[in-house]
Amino acid sequence: MRVQHLLASIIGYPVLRRSWPWLLCLMFAGGQSIAQTIDRLEWIDAGGATLARISFGTNVRFLRQAPTAISDLMQISFDIAAADEAVWRPVMQESRRLIARGQYPDIALTYAPVGSGRPKILSLQFGKRVQVLARQGPDARSIDMEFVSIEGQKGKLAPLPAMVESVNDRNFAVVLKVLDSKQSADFPRVPVALQDYVVFSRQVAIEGGAGQALAVGYFKTLEDAEVVRIRVLSQFPSASILRLDAEVAAAKVPEVVPSQMAEQTAPQLPLAAEETRNVPEQQTPGQINSDAQVLLGQAKVALSQQRFRDAVDVLSRALLLPPNTSTELAQEWIGNAWEGTGDVDRARIEYKLYQRLYPNGEAAQRVAQRLSAIGMGTGAEVNATSGSLGSKEQPGFSYSGGLSQYYYGGSSKSESLVNISAGIDQNTLSRTNQSALVTSLDMTGRYKTESSDLKLVIRGSSASNFIATSQAQSSLGAAYLDYKNLNNRLGLRVGRQSAIAGSMFGLFDGVSLSMPVAGSLKLSGSLGVPANTLVSAPSQQLFGVMLEADNLFERWGGAISLVDQRTEEISDRRAVGAEVRYFGEGVSVFSQMDYDLNFEKINAFTLQGSMQGPMDTSITLLVDDRKAPSLQLSDALISSGTTSLKTLLQLRSLAEVKELALGTAAQARQAMLSVSRPISPKWQSSADIRYSEIGELPAIGNFQAMPATGAQYTLSFQLTGSNLYSSRDINGFNLSLLNSGTLQGTQFSYNNLTGIFDNKASVEFSISLYTQTDNTATKVNRVSPGLRLSYKLSERASVSGETIFEQSTTDGPTNHDTSSAYFFYVGYRYDLF
């Protein structure tokens, strides 16, 4: 069938490319470009919540997680865009590790190969028992994990409560740090995650005299204040709660004790009005105004002399004073000072704080103009970080990465009985399908300063195939040098890398540049050579440019893009793309369209969304309509049997070549709706309905005509039980019903993942039973058991292996076939750093 031929073309025609020798010498001497599914796993500080973000090399959609309760073992189910699955399907196990930061635990992620069309599963092990909320990320290539609670920590980590507006509701505040009055100038800056709260100082009694407390507020309930206190413990170990309302104090609400260490180091703060009698008399309003005016005078001199860092320090001290006649001006000036240092993100935060505190202030128009000049930002102020909440990464070198090696093997045996006129013909065939040793390396070296971030990333594998003619193959998924200027947000990447989304996709060897432009716009451009094309066409080049806008409106963003790909100086692919995305609290929507200018046809349209509904209900929607494979003129080489587009155009007209290319691209449509929700602390239910259809293809070139598949519908029900017989087990029961114009099928599967030996080892058992009857009265029965084992030898080393056996029988009017096959792999992974 032609679809099989096309998929074989995608997988079987590697493109050999020159890459960047100074990077390749560190690993492989050239090779096949097969991208890994998992791009990276990293900590992200996103507007008050610290997330672990899984980034992918292709479009994915989050389906569900299990369990939703606290555990140190979790699975995430997701799908890969159908048109990309043949290219991005894993041929070997992928692993990532994220080192613990602060109170957030280390994470070990494993992604094992599964069959086409089945939901993909990420297995995650955490260094602590945690409760995680997984959801679709801000785009179609990421899944976010937000930590709701952590074992040993009280309260929730996300989301942060809103600051109360009413003065009558200002009952509590959180004291971050207390210093002697003489040291009050040494107060630290408040973390970005707390930017939506009012920052103030208060005089308190400490041993040996008076002190100044740096606090944030305000909160109505003790529970809200406790949420914030827990979130800042990693940076402020002595953080405690300050009770502001006398009536609440009279109700004798118990005092929150931060921790045993905090009890020994933190000074006692006043909790009620009657407890403040020994506090020295506070400054009069006149004294406060006088001190503030002196500090503003110093700041004015520093700003005039462009000593912006000094101005920040002085203005910070001024803003720690109680509200006074100079507070509004100091709030504007500190935004000017941060902008002068080049830290536009911090300046943006201070300007927005001014707008919130003084919406009709004297400087409101000036502040609005400055915000317009530097851009309003994303609203979430998302930054990658390897530290805990609010902390900055230390300058210097850092390294991460690992080495893995797996042996893959498999064989099959089939017996066929066919009724012929002379009797029954019997055939038996046995063969080894797979025997290969695959070695993979994943390394990242990083050097960071206060103004720049430089990374060297290398990911690839080398396979020794023991049954193929070619004994060794190398694949390079990434090999690039990435530079970011943290002041002006200029980014430069050189080497083998993933494309900049939009109408440009796949891997390429080249250079990409990104830079902020007016307002909240970002301009990105790439130039290079495609590295994973469908066919090998000579002298290929590509150019792509994309203009992105974040926070155009509240929580809305989008992009427009243009790509021009040429081969032998002939326009191979020229397309424009548009993206619209919405990323809100519990809701994310992503829409993308690609229009090919050469063919004047829509190449792809997709709409996907995720929503967290009431009672922890998770809803995922997908609608996708695209050409498969994507339209480009060189697709004509598939059916024509030629290897050069220039040669083909000498034999045929441009219109005929376009028809050849269109004849290889089927119209592929799919839709999916998934709903899941927990029904008890240990059980979670979900239901999926899927539709797919591939249009007909005409007889063209070397190919025969292929009819349309017709509409295919799959209805699946899944029940997942967690911690049913131990402290770490996940049990999945799935029933799927398949219906199309030519067949009906039913599949029941069970999957069990259990962590043992204090989660150092895991055992995963699975079994699938499938039966199918088509319109020729042919019946297929298949049973597939499997077993996967892994063991953690040390903090850096682990071993794992898996085996899958499949027994299948096919009974038709004239034949009876029996076949069996098994597949296995075994190997190790070692984290180098």
Side-chain angles (χ1 to χ4, degrees):
M1 297 179 68
R2 194 182 312 178
V3 168
Q4 293 173 328
H5 183 86
L6 289 176
L7 295 183
S9 300
I10 294 173
I11 302 298
Y13 295 158
V15 182
L16 298 179
R17 296 290 176 204
R18 290 185 304 164
S19 190
W20 305 92
W22 49 275
L23 290 176
L24 288 177
C25 66
L26 298 177
M27 189 172 172
F28 302 114
Q32 176 183 1
S33 55
I34 301 175
Q36 292 181 311
T37 305
I38 310 298
D39 186 14
R40 60 189 180 276
L41 175 64
E42 61 186 341
W43 293 115
I44 296 290
D45 180 24
T50 295
L51 314 174
R53 175 165 296 167
I54 309 168
S55 298
F56 297 81
T58 184
N59 288 355
V60 300
R61 51 190 173 274
F62 167 79
L63 295 179
R64 64 188 68 91
Q65 71 175 88
T68 56
I70 190 167
S71 177
D72 55 7
L73 191 65
M74 189 177 82
Q75 288 184 329
I76 293 177
S77 300
F78 70 98
D79 270 349
I80 296 176
D84 296 338
E85 185 170 346
V87 179
W88 293 92
R89 67 171 185 170
V91 295
M92 57 187 178
Q93 177 177 291
E94 297 181 35
S95 301
R96 296 288 185 274
R97 184 186 175 202
L98 189 58
I99 305 299
R101 288 294 183 267
Q103 59 189 326
Y104 298 95
D106 61 284
I107 306 174
L109 179 152
T110 303
Y111 176 43
V114 296
S116 176
R118 293 169 51 191
K120 313 302 180 286
I121 295 179
L122 300 173
S123 297
L124 300 113
Q125 291 180 308
F126 301 96
K128 298 179 183 178
R129 288 170 56 81
V130 296
Q131 184 178 4
V132 171
L133 174 64
R135 61 174 181 263
Q136 189 75 35
D139 53 39
R141 293 191 174 194
S142 61
I143 292 176
D144 285 349
M145 296 183 294
E146 185 170 357
F147 291 81
V148 178
S149 62
I150 297 177
E151 188 176 50
Q153 301 283 356
K154 297 180 181 180
K156 292 187 175 181
L157 288 175
L160 287 172
M163 185 188 79
V164 296
E165 299 294 339
S166 173
V167 175
N168 295 330
D169 291 334
R170 295 181 176 183
N171 300 328
F172 298 93
V174 174
V175 174
L176 304 178
K177 195 169 185 178
V178 177
L179 291 176
D180 185 277
S181 295
K182 298 178 181 179
Q183 300 174 320
S184 59
D186 296 328
F187 270 136
R189 292 295 290 159
V190 175
V192 173
L194 304 182
Q195 60 182 294
D196 290 332
Y197 300 121
V198 170
V199 181
F200 62 94
S201 65
R202 167 167 290 200
Q203 198 169 29
V204 296
I206 62 174
E207 185 177 351
Q212 286 287 332
L214 174 65
V216 295
Y218 297 95
F219 311 102
K220 183 176 181 178
T221 66
L222 184 69
E223 290 75 15
D224 284 350
E226 172 67 352
V227 170
V228 177
R229 187 191 68 81
I230 288 175
R231 291 293 294 274
V232 300
L233 280 178
S234 60
Q235 187 173 357
F236 301 98
S238 60
S240 58
I241 293 177
L242 176 65
R243 188 175 294 128
L244 302 172
D245 185 80
E247 293 182 5
V248 175
K252 298 187 182 299
V253 180
E255 178 184 353
V256 178
V257 180
S259 64
Q260 190 65 31
M261 181 180 70
E263 288 179 10
Q264 299 171 2
T265 60
Q268 294 297 316
L269 297 176
L271 296 178
E274 62 267 24
E275 295 177 325
T276 64
R277 295 170 184 166
N278 296 327
V279 178
E281 183 178 352
Q282 298 195 15
Q283 291 177 292
T284 65
Q287 292 173 323
I288 293 172
N289 289 334
S290 176
D291 291 346
Q293 290 172 5
V294 170
L295 291 172
L296 249 64
Q298 297 173 2
K300 184 176 182 179
V301 173
L303 287 170
S304 65
Q305 297 176 354
Q306 297 188 353
R307 293 185 289 108
F308 298 114
R309 183 64 63 177
D310 292 340
V312 166
D313 294 338
V314 174
L315 291 166
S316 297
R317 291 164 56 193
L319 289 170
L320 288 175
L321 293 173
N324 56 78
T325 56
S326 301
T327 302
E328 180 181 346
L329 189 57
Q331 186 62 50
E332 177 196 5
W333 283 8
I334 197 170
N336 300 155
W338 279 115
E339 192 176 352
T341 66
D343 192 340
V344 292
D345 290 332
R346 185 67 240 191
R348 187 183 298 115
I349 291 168
E350 299 292 357
Y351 286 143
K352 287 182 178 180
L353 181 58
Y354 179 96
Q355 290 182 326
R356 187 171 66 250
L357 296 176
Y358 312 104
N360 300 314
E362 185 269 337
Q365 185 175 357
R366 294 196 300 269
V367 169
Q369 290 173 347
R370 294 314 310 152
L371 271 174
S372 177
I374 66 175
M376 290 294 292
T378 63
E381 300 300 336
V382 177
N383 294 294
T385 176
S386 62
S388 58
L389 176 65
S391 62
K392 290 186 177 181
E393 297 175 81
Q394 295 298 321
F397 286 100
S398 62
Y399 309 92
S400 63
L403 173 71
S404 64
Q405 196 168 52
Y406 293 93
Y407 175 78
Y408 294 83
S411 65
S412 64
K413 179 181 179 180
S414 62
E415 295 180 354
S416 178
L417 300 177
V418 182
N419 292 327
I420 58 177
S421 57
I424 297 178
D425 183 32
Q426 179 175 354
N427 291 305
T428 301
L429 176 64
S430 299
R431 63 176 180 175
T432 299
N433 302 89
Q434 185 168 288
S435 179
L437 181 67
V438 179
T439 303
S440 301
L441 183 65
D442 177 3
M443 295 183 63
T444 299
R446 187 176 191 179
Y447 179 71
K448 185 172 184 181
T449 68
E450 292 185 356
S451 60
S452 65
D453 190 359
L454 182 66
K455 289 193 295 186
L456 175 64
V457 177
I458 299 175
R459 286 195 299 270
S461 63
S462 177
S464 298
N465 194 341
F466 303 125
I467 61 174
T469 303
S470 176
Q471 294 299 309
Q473 286 184 324
S474 296
S475 65
L476 192 62
Y480 60 81
L481 191 68
D482 184 271
Y483 169 80
K484 286 186 175 66
N485 187 303
L486 303 181
N487 291 329
N488 57 26
R489 293 177 293 165
L490 178 71
L492 176 66
R493 180 176 291 185
V494 181
R496 174 158 294 181
Q497 56 192 286
S498 297
I500 56 171
S503 290
M504 187 174 171
F505 41 79
L507 294 175
F508 74 98
D509 298 331
V511 58
S512 61
L513 178 70
S514 64
M515 58 183 296
V517 289
S520 59
L521 301 178
K522 183 178 77 170
L523 183 65
S524 302
S526 297
L527 178 67
V529 178
N532 59 346
T533 52
L534 180 62
V535 293
S536 179
S539 304
Q540 286 188 307
Q541 296 176 335
L542 64 82
F543 169 76
V545 62
M546 182 166 68
L547 182 65
E548 292 183 90
D550 285 320
N551 206 38
L552 268 180
F553 308 102
E554 185 68 21
R555 301 182 183 275
W556 287 90
I560 55 174
S561 58
L562 170 68
V563 62
D564 186 23
Q565 181 174 309
R566 307 180 69 83
T567 176
E568 301 176 286
E569 300 303 321
I570 301 168
S571 180
D572 187 17
R573 168 172 159 77
R574 183 172 294 162
V576 294
E579 296 179 9
V580 177
R581 50 184 179 264
Y582 174 85
F583 188 63
E585 185 67 33
V587 179
S588 66
V589 179
F590 175 83
S591 179
Q592 183 181 43
M593 185 182 72
D594 181 274
Y595 181 80
D596 194 285
L597 298 173
N598 287 338
F599 292 89
E600 298 182 338
K601 293 183 179 295
I602 294 178
N603 187 40
F605 171 80
T606 185
L607 171 68
Q608 67 181 74
S610 297
M611 180 179 72
Q612 296 294 324
M615 296 183 293
D616 294 326
T617 301
S618 178
I619 303 172
T620 301
L621 170 71
L622 169 76
V623 177
D624 190 271
D625 188 357
R626 65 180 62 231
K627 296 290 185 180
S630 297
L631 291 176
Q632 54 189 40
L633 203 61
S634 58
D635 289 349
L637 302 179
I638 301 173
S639 58
S640 66
T642 57
T643 58
S644 167
L645 198 55
K646 180 177 289 187
T647 301
L648 185 60
L649 285 170
Q650 291 173 349
L651 302 174
R652 298 174 182 257
S653 67
L654 178 61
E656 290 175 324
V657 173
K658 285 185 177 180
E659 286 300 316
L660 283 173
L662 283 170
T664 64
Q667 196 70 35
R669 299 182 176 92
Q670 62 171 328
M672 183 270 293
L673 176 65
S674 175
V675 180
S676 64
R677 67 173 296 266
I679 55 179
S680 76
K682 292 189 175 183
W683 289 96
Q684 182 182 8
S685 62
S686 63
D688 305 340
I689 182 169
R690 301 166 185 264
Y691 153 82
S692 64
E693 183 175 4
I694 300 178
E696 64 179 356
L697 288 173
I700 194 165
N702 298 331
F703 290 146
Q704 298 178 352
M706 188 185 77
T709 62
Q712 298 181 351
Y713 299 93
T714 303
L715 181 62
S716 299
F717 302 94
Q718 183 163 349
L719 190 63
T720 304
S722 305
N723 305 332
L724 301 182
Y725 56 84
S726 69
S727 60
R728 48 177 71 91
D729 62 83
I730 302 174
N731 303 266
F733 304 84
N734 181 277
L735 175 65
S736 297
L737 307 175
L738 172 66
N739 184 280
S740 72
T742 58
L743 62 86
Q744 291 182 331
T746 303
Q747 177 176 280
F748 173 78
S749 61
Y750 169 71
N751 178 274
N752 172 275
L753 174 62
T754 303
I756 56 178
F757 303 140
D758 197 25
N759 220 25
K760 288 185 177 180
S762 65
V763 180
E764 186 171 1
F765 170 75
S766 64
I767 186 169
S768 173
L769 306 174
Y770 177 76
T771 181
Q772 167 190 303
T773 303
D774 64 19
N775 54 6
T776 65
T778 299
K779 186 174 183 179
V780 177
N781 292 304
R782 184 181 304 124
V783 57
S784 306
L787 180 66
R788 183 177 182 275
L789 304 172
S790 67
Y791 184 76
K792 191 175 182 179
L793 299 173
S794 66
E795 287 299 317
R796 294 187 177 183
S798 61
V799 293
S800 61
E802 181 178 16
T803 181
I804 298 174
F805 178 78
E806 182 178 289
Q807 181 74 35
S808 177
T809 60
T810 302
D811 289 302
T814 61
N815 66 299
H816 174 82
D817 298 332
T818 302
S819 63
S820 62
Y822 77 92
F823 160 84
F824 72 92
Y825 70 84
V826 61
Y828 69 90
R829 175 177 172 84
Y830 184 79
D831 293 314
L832 300 172
F833 307 104

